[in-house]
Every structure is written in C-alpha cells, then in structure tokens.
Amino acid sequence: MITITHYLVLSAILFTVGVIGVLIRRNAIIIFMCIELMLNAVNLSFVACAHYLNSMQGQLFVFFTMTVAAAEAAVGLAIIVAVFRNKETINIDDINIMKW
Amino acid sequence: MLNLVALILLFPLIGTVINGLAGKRLRKETVGYLACGAIGLSFLVSFMVFIGLLQLPPDERLFEKHLFRWIESGSFISAAALQVDPLSVVMILVITGVGFLIHLYSIGYMHHDKGYHRYFCYLNLFVFSMLLLVLSNNFLLMFIGWEAVGLCSYLLIGFWFEKKSASDAAKKAFVVNRVGDFGFALGIMLIFLTFHSIDFTEVFSAVSHGNFEKGSFTVTMITLLLFIGATGKSAQIPLYTWLPDAMEGPTPVSALIHAATMVTAGVYMIARCNALYLLSPFTMTVVASIGVITALFAASVGLVQNDIKRVLAYSTISQLGYMFLACGVGAFTAGVFHLMTHAFFKALLFLASGSVIHALSGEQDIRKMGGLKPHIPVTYKTFLIGTVAIAGIPPFAGFFSKDEILLEALVRGNFIYWSLGAFAALLTAFYMFRLLFMTFHGECRVDHHAMEHLHESPKNMTLPLVALAGLSFVGGFFGIPGANALEHFLAPVLGGHGHTEVRGAVSAGHHGAWLPYLMMVISTAIALVGIFLAYQMYIKKPGLSKKLAERFRLIHKLLLNKYYVDEIYDAIFINPTKKISTQVLWKVIDVRMIDGSVNGIAWLVGRIGSVLRHLQTGYIRNYAFYIVVGCILIIVLAVFGR
Amino acid sequence: MLAYLFYIVAAITVTTAVYLIFEKNPVFGALYLIQTMVSLAVLYILLEAQFVAAVQIIVYAGAIMVLFLFVIMLLNLDIGEETKNALPYQRIPAILMGIALFTIICIVIRSKLLQGKQDQYTTAFVQGVGNTKLIGNLLFTEYLLPFEITSILLFVAAIGAIMLAKRKL
C-alpha cells in the first residue's frame, strides 16, 4: 500500500536534488532547470496531499504554481539572454559584481 | 452681534498674511492703509461686541464662541474658543483702539524705512496675538497668545537687526521672557493636574464652589507660578531688565507693545484669575510687595536717565508696579482701570517722544534737546497733557486711577504700601516734569545740523497724538469715584462686591467718609510738590541738579547705572552659564562625549563592515548556500523550538 | 500492482533528476528534466489527478521545456562552458547541506506536524462528476479572482520578457 509518506519523501528527494543542483552548478540554464525541478517537487506534494485529504485545493494550487513557473521561465530566460548578450557568458561565477 | 467676535481676530490676521506674503510687491500706501484698515475694522467690530454685551443683563454678560476642537488627548481637552465678558471687552477696546492710532502714526513715522511692509506685518501679527491672549477662554490658548506676543516683541525690538544693540536687546527680551513663560507653563500644568480642566469658567467655578480652602498650598503654588509668568511679561522685579533695552525698537512699537498693551498682559492675567488669587493671601502679599517695590525702584532709576525713551520705559515699569500693587491688595478693578488710562497716556507720551525724535533726526538724549516748545507746538501740547496725566493732576486720566490704587492700598493693604506708593508718585511727577522741562523748556542745546531739519511732524502723526491726548483727558471719567461706570461694568468678572464693602466700611466705619477726598487732596499735593521740585531744579536754577549729583555722587552713580542690576545678573547668571556652556557643555560634553560617541560608533561600524564585507563575495551560489543554511535553521527552530 | 508502478516511476524520476544535476551538456539536461516531468505526470495519474497530469505534460514538458531548449540553442554554448569555478570548496558542504535538508524534511514528515482536514471530494465523488469538470467549475466560481489575476501575471511576464530580450526598443 502506497501511503502519503511515500509521495512526500519522493518529493523531498526531488527537492533536495534541486537544491544541490542550484548550489553546485555554474551554468545558469541548468540552475534554472533545477529550480523548475524544485517547483515540480512541491507540486507533487500538493497533489499527494490533495488526494489523501479528498480535497481539490491542492490540484488547483498546482495550476497556479504552473502559471508562476511559466512566467518565471519566460522572464528568467529573457534575463539570461540579455546577460549573455552583454557578457558573452552564462557562467554565473563570471557575474559577480553584486558585492561591496 | 456677539457672534462677530471671531472677526476681531480675523482682520489683523488677514493683514498679516497679505503684508507678509505680498507686502514687498505692494505700494507703500497700500501696505500702510491695509494694516490700518485691518485694525480699524477690528476696532469697529470690538465696539459692536461691546454694544452687544451692554444689551445683556449684567449677570449674563458672558459669551463663549466655540471655533473648533483643537487638542483632545485622553482627559485633556482644549478647544479653540473665544470668551467675551466685560474684562476682555475692555481689553480688546484698548488694544484695537490704541493699536489703531499707533498704526496710523506708524505710517508717517516709518515712511522712510526699507522694512516698511515687514514692520506692518509684525505689527498686525502682534495685535492678532494680543487679541487672542485676551479673548481666549482657556489657559492654553491664552498661552499661545502669550507666546506669540513675546515672539512679535522679539521681532519688533530687533526690527533694525543690523544694529548689534537692537539684536542683543531682542535676544535679551526673548530669553528673559522665557524664564517667566516657563513659570506660566508650569502653572497651567498644575492647574490641569488640580482641576482636570483648563477652561476659565470650569476652573473658576470649581474655585468658587469652595473646593479649596483659603491659603491652600496647591492654589498658592499655582498663583505663584502664574505670577512668575506675569513678572516676565509685565516687566516686574526680578525680570524687568529687558524692558528698558526694548527701547531699541521703533518708537511706535515701544508705544504699542512696551507701554500700552503687551506689558499689561500680566495684569490682565492676574485680574482674569482673581478667583484663584483671592484664595491665596500669601501670593497676594507677594504680588503687592513686588508691585510696590518695582514702582519705587523703577521710579528712582527714572530720575537720572538721560535717554528720553529710557525714562519713559522706567516710568512704564513703575506704573506697572502700581497695577500689581492694586491687584495684590485685591482691587482688581483699580488695576484694570489704571491699565486702561496708562495705555492712553503712555502711548501718547511714547508717540510724542517719537515725534520729538523724528523732529530732531533721531536724537534721543535729552541733554541735547531743550527749548523745543515753539518749534513743535502740537507735540509739546500733547506731551504736556500726557505728562500731567501720568503725574496725577486732576482731572486728567492718571489722577483718578492712581488715586484709586493708593486709596485701595491704604484701605485694604496697609500704611507701608500707601507710603511707598505715594513716594513713588512723587518721584513720578518729578522725573516726568524733569523730562518735559529738559526737552521743551530752557535753553536750546540742539546741535546745528539737527536744528536745520527741525520740523513739526506730518498730520498723520499729530492726529493720533491729539486723539490720545483727548483720551488721556477724558479717560479718567470712566472710573470717577461715586459714579464708577467701569467698576459696575467689570463687577461680574472682578467681583465688585468686595469693593463696595470697602466703600461701605469707609463711609460708615472707622475711617470716615472724608478719607477718599482727603486722599485726593494728598495725592494732588504730592504731584504738585514733585512738579515744583522739578521746576526749581531745571527751570529756575539749572545748576542745582549738577550740584546735587555731585553732593550725592554715590547715589547718583548707583541710579545712573540702574543699581547695577544688569551687571549683577551678568555676574550671577549669565557669565557662569556662559562659562559652564563653553568649558563643560561644549568642550567636554559636546565635543568629547557626544561627538566622541557618535564618531566612535561610526568608526566601529566602519571597522566591522570592512571585516564583514568579505562575506559579500558577489557569487550568487554563495548567497544561495547561505539561504539554504538559513532555511534549515528556521525549520529546525520551528520543529524543535517549541 | 500499483505499488510496483509507483516504485518504478519514482526510481525513474529520481534517477533522471540526479542525471540532470550532473550532466555537462545542457541539451541532455533538458531532456532529462522532460523525462522527470513525464514521470511526475504518471504519478499524478496514480493520484487521481488526470487534469493536472495532462497540463503537466502540455505546459511543463511541452511549452516550458521547449522554451529552455530554444534558449540553449539560441545561445549556442560550448559543452565545456563551465570553465571558471570560483567556489570549488563549496561542493562538499553543499551536498552535505542538501542531505541535512532532506533529513530535516523527513523529520517534519514523520513528526505529526503536518495535519489536514478531510474534505468532501472523495475519489468516488470526483469520478462521478469528472476531474476536469470539477476543476473547471471551481476555477470559474470560487477561484475566479486568482484565476483572472494569473492572466495579468502572464501578460506582464510576456511584456517583461520582450523588454529584456529585445536588443533595442
């Protein structure tokens, strides 16, 4: 029998993988994909909770999360394009003027 | 008609705003007539309010006009509301009436000044504040007016601020007044603590319902604190020193503010609070003593001064002392009566002296005057009327009011008050006639340069003089003994019943009915003696005064230097304050401690920052790492921290 | 049967996710992510959320990932792009932190902190009405305002993307 805990642990694993990806990768696009992965992990826990609580709200929330993810992807990728145009790189270690 | 009372305040305010904002671009005539018109309209409305008040039965002559809710904080409520009763009506009539004449006079006197519009702006603002002071129905609004007249006084004393002496005098007036205002403010707070209200009607009705026994400590404290405020504003010992210096301002200002109206604010306030003062015999003694000592003290200094305005300044202090004496013995009506007549003749004297100064192109030293009588006849005649009035010769205004004060001092007070007051009256007659003789009679000591320009003042300056001379002549008949119209009018506020008791006691009892008439004869005789002495010393034997001065050199020097009070204040208060400020407050507390701690904190933050800024690597992954660590910590706290 | 399906799909999901974060070539990375999302869609179906599963494939695996691939190709990056590594010492702590995060999340899951209220939409009820119809009903009645606001969000995002990516306006 698959319980809600299975799904939540899976979600946690996916989320952690996404976090580690953000922390160790330097390619901005990959980092972006890791963020999408984290969003998906959360979506999974929403749907799982909705199913085991006999509720619809989790599914509806996934719907809105996807909207935000889409908007974020569009703007974020536009930023990456703009950065690449200026600095000829998408390695975020080359983009380090955000300091003193 | 009583509803119009707000207009009395509105007109001068409009004048101030227009002259203050646009005065520079208006023509001089417009500025002057605008200011005069504002005060003139105010006077007309005041008169209508007066008529309106007269139509009410005497016991109901109290009208309150609520303007707007002003401050409400917890149980503290202060409305902006005006109060019309006989006392405030007398005050607004005097203020707007005399004020109007002085405005008119100023048009001519200030004509050549480049700060013309500024002058009229301040003058209108002053009238507005003074009216606010006397019309307010609670202590706080009165305090606003009280402070505002102090501000206007500062601005007008320092009107010619390019002169160092003028700006110094302005500062002095402001600081000395601040001492008094501090006492006044404390008094108001104590009133609120005691009565839980600052409305005149509520406070006084609480008092009259007998919630406080006679001589209660709280009431004594309140009245003493209020009296400290009064000594500041009304130039009584020990806070009188600013008034003689205030003569640095333009002469009409001296006439309006430092003689006729503002300095009487203290007398008005004490008369307003008579219910409180009557409860505290100790304070009454203090008020009367300070009053009579001031009267004598200032009169003695006035004997030897050589500046025409300074003599008048000391006479003002002396006359204010009389008013406080009257208040101190419980004869508030007599005090207000003298306030009114004094406003007339002192304004007249100041304006006439201004006319003299104007004629002599700015000369103020009476040793360089003399023999001016044929040259400026109108000024002479009006000055003479003013001098006779202040000296106390019947039937001029000063006679009746001063005589009444002396009579009350004897009947209600004691013989010492009377004898000191009478002696001060002798000195008053002497120094005023000395001033008159030295200015207008005898040989001419004017230098040639000024002589060429010697001229009588223009019509718009002599007209107010004549009007004020008329008032000085008839002003006394409002309070003539036997048919005292002023006293009946003021009775609802100032409690005329006490007065009639005295009269009754006088006519029926141990003194006998002849006392008032005897007193009249005596005070007239005193005045005549003073005049005679002055005549002997300055007309008959001009050298006598010099001989006397040499004979009593020590006293003469003491008087000439005003008892060294300024120097004593300098040594006791001002220099130590300066020294402490410089040596301790500035060089140790401010530079070392305050600047040191501020700079030290800034230095410390800078050092810490220069170390911590290495955390800011600029690498986004680094920041993300910190965020994750932070998230973990927060979750740990949320789970295990409960 | 369904339990086996869950374990298989979960294993695929995690494997592709891990492949994603260690993949040098972004194009392959994107493909791994698409596989992750498709597996998630399968899990959604297992959880009786058919509409969400469909949207997951259409929007995520379809639209968003195509956008990613499009940008990758637009930039035409070399595979050995990640030359500069300014924070080599952060690799091990990052992985340790990830493990710590996972541990703490598991603790939260096990500790009865997460509790919810049972609602009325039981599986039988949802199947009676139809999952898509139910979501549609809710979106256009109870959740109409947030739904309309998302349209503004998308509109603004479109404008922002154009503003940022365009060379000269």
Side-chain angles (χ1 to χ4, degrees):
Chain A
M1 186 61 203
I2 306 299
T3 61
I4 184 169
T5 312
H6 289 81
Y7 282 101
L8 289 181
V9 170
L10 175 62
S11 165
I13 293 172
L14 287 176
F15 189 82
T16 310
V17 170
V19 167
I20 293 173
V22 169
L23 291 183
I24 64 174
R25 291 305 299 259
R26 277 154 287 161
N27 187 324
I29 291 178
I30 304 258
I31 288 177
F32 232 110
M33 289 196 254
C34 291
I35 293 172
E36 296 292 338
L37 184 62
M38 285 151 76
L39 283 167
N40 269 295
V42 174
N43 278 354
L44 178 61
S45 63
F46 269 129
V47 175
C49 289
H51 179 255
Y52 285 97
L53 290 175
N54 291 331
S55 164
M56 288 306 282
Q57 286 175 2
Q59 296 189 23
L60 287 162
F61 217 104
V62 168
F63 193 78
F64 293 118
T65 314
M66 277 183 193
T67 321
V68 172
E72 181 224 332
V75 175
L77 289 172
I79 290 173
I80 289 174
V81 170
V83 167
F84 183 76
R85 200 176 283 145
N86 280 327
K87 305 204 72 154
E88 291 290 325
T89 177
I90 53 166
N91 184 344
I92 57 164
D93 280 4
D94 287 331
I95 307 161
N96 66 342
I97 53 173
M98 202 166 82
K99 60 184 172 185
W100 71 86
Chain B
M1 262 192 274
L2 289 173
N3 256 316
L4 295 173
V5 64
L7 286 179
I8 301 176
L9 286 176
L10 188 65
F11 288 126
L13 194 62
I14 290 174
T16 308
V17 170
I18 294 179
N19 275 342
L21 294 180
K24 226 173 193 169
R25 285 180 213 94
L26 295 176
R27 294 209 337 239
K28 270 195 171 179
E29 290 76 16
T30 323
V31 171
Y33 290 121
L34 183 72
C36 282
I39 308 300
L41 284 172
S42 239
F43 177 67
L44 283 181
V45 178
S46 304
F47 203 76
M48 286 161 74
V49 169
F50 173 61
I51 302 284
L53 203 65
L54 276 184
Q55 285 165 351
L56 296 174
D59 289 342
E60 293 167 21
R61 284 180 186 163
L62 172 67
F63 173 77
E64 290 195 20
K65 169 95 177 158
H66 183 88
L67 294 182
F68 53 89
R69 284 147 46 127
W70 182 31
I71 299 174
E72 284 180 27
S73 168
S75 64
F76 180 86
I77 294 170
S78 176
L82 306 179
Q83 173 172 1
V84 181
D85 64 358
L87 181 60
S88 57
V89 161
V90 168
M91 290 300 292
I92 58 174
L93 282 176
V94 170
I95 292 163
T96 52
V98 176
F100 174 67
L101 292 172
I102 290 171
H103 272 70
L104 203 61
Y105 178 90
S106 298
I107 291 181
Y109 190 85
M110 299 298 289
H111 195 260
H112 301 295
D113 200 283
K114 60 184 191 302
Y116 196 72
H117 64 278
R118 188 160 60 93
Y119 174 82
F120 278 106
C121 170
Y122 292 164
L123 217 56
N124 271 5
L125 182 62
F126 167 75
V127 174
F128 166 76
S129 329
M130 190 70 199
L131 290 169
L132 185 67
L133 196 163
V134 298
L135 280 175
S136 70
N137 89 329
N138 60 54
F139 281 100
L140 197 64
L141 200 60
M142 184 190 194
F143 187 64
I144 298 292
W146 187 273
E147 291 293 314
V149 291
L151 170 70
C152 293
S153 163
Y154 166 80
L155 292 172
L156 284 165
I157 293 170
F159 183 72
W160 289 312
F161 52 82
E162 303 94 336
K163 258 196 326 188
K164 182 158 178 6
S165 59
S167 63
D168 280 351
K171 245 186 300 183
K172 185 173 177 180
F174 201 72
V175 172
V176 172
N177 264 305
R178 197 82 7 244
V179 178
D181 294 348
F182 188 61
F184 192 40
L186 284 180
I188 294 174
M189 293 174 202
L190 196 55
I191 286 174
F192 180 71
L193 271 183
T194 315
F195 298 97
H196 307 292
S197 169
I198 51 166
D199 276 14
F200 288 148
T201 34
E202 287 180 31
V203 171
F204 298 147
S205 74
V207 169
S208 62
H209 283 104
N211 299 346
F212 296 88
E213 60 194 281
K214 205 165 172 134
S216 107
F217 178 72
T218 327
V219 175
T220 306
M221 279 310 292
I222 289 173
T223 47
L224 277 179
L225 285 169
L226 292 182
F227 180 60
I228 291 174
T231 56
K233 200 60 83 194
S234 292
Q236 296 296 293
I237 289 173
L239 299 178
Y240 74 94
T241 51
W242 64 272
L243 187 61
D245 290 15
M247 297 303 132
E248 291 289 343
T251 310
V253 170
S254 307
L256 178 60
I257 299 186
H258 307 120
T261 55
M262 183 188 91
V263 290
T264 59
V267 182
Y268 162 78
M269 191 264 287
I270 290 182
R272 171 63 75 200
C273 306
N274 63 76
L276 281 170
Y277 276 85
L278 283 173
L279 271 187
S280 171
F282 176 72
T283 315
M284 292 294 266
T285 315
V286 171
V287 173
S289 313
I290 295 264
V292 72
I293 293 169
T294 309
L296 194 62
F297 175 87
S300 67
V301 175
L303 289 178
V304 296
Q305 296 300 314
N306 288 321
D307 184 315
I308 185 169
K309 286 177 72 180
R310 224 162 247 271
V311 175
L312 291 175
Y314 278 104
S315 90
T316 303
I317 299 175
S318 171
Q319 299 301 313
L320 288 165
Y322 275 114
M323 296 175 208
F324 278 101
L325 172 62
C327 292
V329 298
F332 299 104
T333 316
V336 174
F337 182 31
H338 196 54
L339 185 162
M340 189 179 87
T341 57
H342 175 258
F344 297 148
F345 60 69
K346 190 48 67 69
L348 167 63
L349 284 168
F350 263 111
L351 293 185
S353 77
S355 176
V356 171
I357 295 165
H358 194 69
L360 293 176
S361 321
E363 185 56 61
Q364 300 197 5
D365 192 336
I366 53 173
R367 285 169 300 189
K368 293 186 184 160
M369 295 179 186
L372 296 176
K373 181 177 160 187
H375 300 288
I376 41 176
V378 180
T379 307
Y380 170 70
K381 277 174 205 151
T382 49
F383 198 94
L384 180 64
I385 291 175
T387 314
V388 172
I390 191 174
I393 303 290
F396 292 89
F399 167 75
F400 294 108
S401 52
K402 198 184 286 184
D403 175 58
E404 192 173 338
I405 289 176
L406 288 177
L407 175 68
E408 301 280 357
L410 182 60
V411 175
R412 299 190 185 208
N414 53 39
F415 187 71
I416 300 172
Y417 288 159
W418 179 82
S419 51
L420 290 177
F423 187 56
L426 174 74
L427 296 181
T428 308
F430 177 80
Y431 70 71
M432 283 313 297
F433 271 87
R434 166 180 175 268
L435 184 67
L436 181 78
F437 291 147
M438 284 187 76
T439 310
F440 293 99
H441 292 268
E443 59 182 304
C444 185
R445 300 177 295 275
V446 184
D447 56 19
H448 289 294
H449 186 68
M451 201 70 199
E452 285 165 18
H453 298 285
L454 194 55
H455 61 285
E456 178 62 278
S457 303
K459 266 268 164 2
N460 55 7
M461 283 170 70
T462 50
L463 203 68
L465 289 181
V466 175
L468 282 168
L471 283 171
S472 303
F473 185 71
V474 301
F477 293 104
F478 295 128
I480 195 165
N484 200 329
L486 188 72
E487 187 188 321
H488 290 301
F489 183 59
L490 289 175
V493 188
L494 300 180
H497 50 84
H499 199 87
T500 41
E501 267 167 34
V502 173
R503 291 277 180 205
V506 166
S507 49
H510 47 292
H511 286 300
W514 42 267
L515 187 71
Y517 304 103
L518 178 69
M519 293 303 303
M520 281 188 200
V521 174
I522 291 176
S523 46
T524 314
I526 287 170
L528 286 173
V529 169
I531 296 167
F532 175 72
L533 285 175
Y535 181 71
Q536 282 292 324
M537 277 177 70
Y538 294 98
I539 301 281
K540 281 273 173 180
K541 302 169 190 161
L544 190 61
S545 62
K546 223 165 237 170
K547 271 185 217 154
L548 272 175
E550 263 167 41
R551 183 83 179 276
F552 302 102
R553 249 180 73 198
L554 217 64
I555 297 176
H556 183 251
K557 213 171 155 195
L558 192 65
L559 292 181
L560 200 59
N561 287 304
K562 309 154 225 160
Y563 294 100
Y564 295 100
V565 171
D566 277 333
E567 284 76 2
I568 293 170
Y569 280 5
D570 270 353
I572 297 178
F573 298 112
I574 297 171
N575 287 339
T577 309
K578 271 188 188 165
K579 209 156 228 168
I580 291 173
S581 305
T582 324
Q583 299 299 332
V584 180
L585 293 180
W586 169 21
K587 290 196 172 154
V588 178
I589 304 237
D590 197 58
V591 173
R592 294 265 169 78
M593 289 169 67
I594 294 176
D595 286 6
S597 56
V598 169
N599 291 342
I601 288 169
W603 178 85
L604 194 68
V605 169
R607 296 305 305 164
I608 293 173
S610 70
V611 173
L612 285 184
R613 74 177 183 182
H614 293 293
L615 281 177
Q616 299 266 330
T617 54
Y619 296 111
I620 297 159
R621 291 189 299 143
N622 216 220
Y623 301 156
F625 182 71
Y626 298 141
I627 293 174
V628 172
V629 173
C631 285
I632 292 172
L633 287 179
I634 288 173
I635 297 172
V636 167
L637 272 180
V639 176
F640 300 104
R642 15 178 110 218
Chain C
M1 174 61 200
L2 282 178
Y4 290 122
L5 187 56
F6 169 79
Y7 285 120
I8 292 165
V9 174
I12 293 172
T13 317
V14 173
T15 316
T16 49
V18 172
Y19 266 76
L20 162 67
I21 67 168
F22 291 113
E23 175 55 53
K24 286 262 180 279
N25 190 337
V27 176
F28 286 154
L31 291 175
Y32 286 132
L33 189 58
I34 290 171
Q35 178 53 50
T36 313
M37 287 168 174
V38 171
S39 334
L40 280 173
V42 175
L43 290 176
Y44 291 161
I45 290 171
L46 285 180
L47 289 166
E48 310 279 349
Q50 292 84 356
F51 179 72
V52 173
V55 171
Q56 170 87 358
I57 290 183
I58 296 168
V59 174
Y60 257 126
I64 295 180
M65 291 320 296
V66 166
L67 190 61
F68 270 91
L69 282 171
F70 189 69
V71 170
I72 292 166
M73 291 169 184
L74 182 77
L75 299 183
N76 193 19
L77 300 165
D78 292 334
I79 293 172
E81 181 61 31
E82 298 183 14
T83 44
K84 182 178 174 189
N85 187 356
L87 303 165
Y89 48 83
Q90 197 182 287
R91 205 177 173 88
I92 306 299
I95 292 170
L96 288 178
M97 269 308 138
I99 292 165
L101 187 65
F102 176 70
T103 319
I104 200 85
I105 292 175
C106 287
I107 291 172
V108 172
I109 290 170
R110 282 190 61 85
S111 67
K112 306 279 172 189
L113 283 172
L114 295 184
Q115 282 180 351
K117 212 172 62 196
Q118 288 287 331
D119 209 344
Q120 52 171 335
Y121 300 101
T122 55
T123 314
F125 177 82
V126 174
Q127 276 171 351
V129 182
N131 180 271
T132 312
K133 190 175 179 182
L134 201 52
I135 289 182
N137 268 338
L138 284 170
L139 271 184
F140 286 100
T141 53
E142 208 181 333
Y143 296 92
L144 185 62
L145 182 68
F147 181 70
E148 291 299 335
I149 289 173
T150 54
S151 68
I152 297 172
L153 174 71
L154 287 172
F155 180 59
V156 172
I159 293 175
I162 293 168
M163 279 287 295
L164 285 165
K166 209 160 165 24
R167 245 174 247 277
K168 268 185 195 151
L169 281 172

